[in-house]
Amino acid sequence: MDYKLNFELVPDGCWYSNLRSLLTPAQWNVVRKDAYARAGGKCAICGAQSARLEAHERWSYNEQTCVQKLEDVIAVCPACHAVIHIGRTSLKGDEKAACDHFMKVNNCSYADYRAALGKANEDHRRRNKIPEWKLDLSWLERFI
């Protein structure tokens, strides 16, 4: 099922391939401020007004070519960000709130939540079998 808010489990080998670690602080500021400006003070996923938006990197994974591709950087509210990074959220003990937010935003049941989480974990396990991902940052060309 296609949901507005989804889990985005990054393959273990890509955990430190994020923009903050690859860009200078000044470059990262340009990218994240662009996301905030496009959002207009609202979460790009749930649409809620938020005084504190967070920049989230959207990645796609081509398992045939082993390419991790940056698709976008969007502004999200902390509640949506917690759902997106459910593994980290669970480790912090905040899964219940994330579960409730997932069901509210997607207008779905707890069974739907569990099924979506199971699918995300299945994708994660499969992607972890790829020994090395190549990085495609061509999306950043718009800032160069």
Side-chain angles (χ1 to χ4, degrees), residues 1 3 7 98-117:
M1 179 169 279
Y3 290 116
F7 308 108
C99 172
D100 290 345
H101 190 68
F102 179 93
M103 292 187 300
K104 177 183 169 192
V105 170
N106 292 315
N107 191 30
C108 68
S109 68
Y110 180 71
D112 295 329
Y113 167 83
R114 295 300 305 169
L117 185 56

Side-chain angles (χ1 to χ4, degrees), residues 43-125:
C43 176
I45 295 174
C46 72
Q49 281 289 140
S50 182
R52 188 177 145 257
L53 293 171
E54 300 173 354
H56 171 67
E57 303 158 25
R58 283 247 159 112
W59 298 91
S60 65
Y61 300 92
N62 184 317
E63 295 173 41
Q64 283 67 48
T65 61
C66 304
V67 173
Q68 174 191 11
K69 182 179 182 183
L70 179 65
E71 298 290 346
D72 200 357
V73 175
I74 61 171
V76 296
C77 68
C80 281
H81 217 187
V83 171
I84 291 167
H85 295 295
I86 194 67
R88 181 177 184 275
T89 300
S90 295
L91 289 173
K92 290 174 53 186
D94 297 332
E95 186 177 358
K96 170 77 170 87
C99 172
D100 290 345
H101 190 68
F102 179 93
M103 292 187 300
K104 177 183 169 192
V105 170
N106 292 315
N107 191 30
C108 68
S109 68
Y110 180 71
D112 295 329
Y113 167 83
R114 295 300 305 169
L117 185 56
K119 168 81 168 77
N121 281 318
E122 177 185 308
D123 292 345
H124 184 251
R125 277 190 295 277

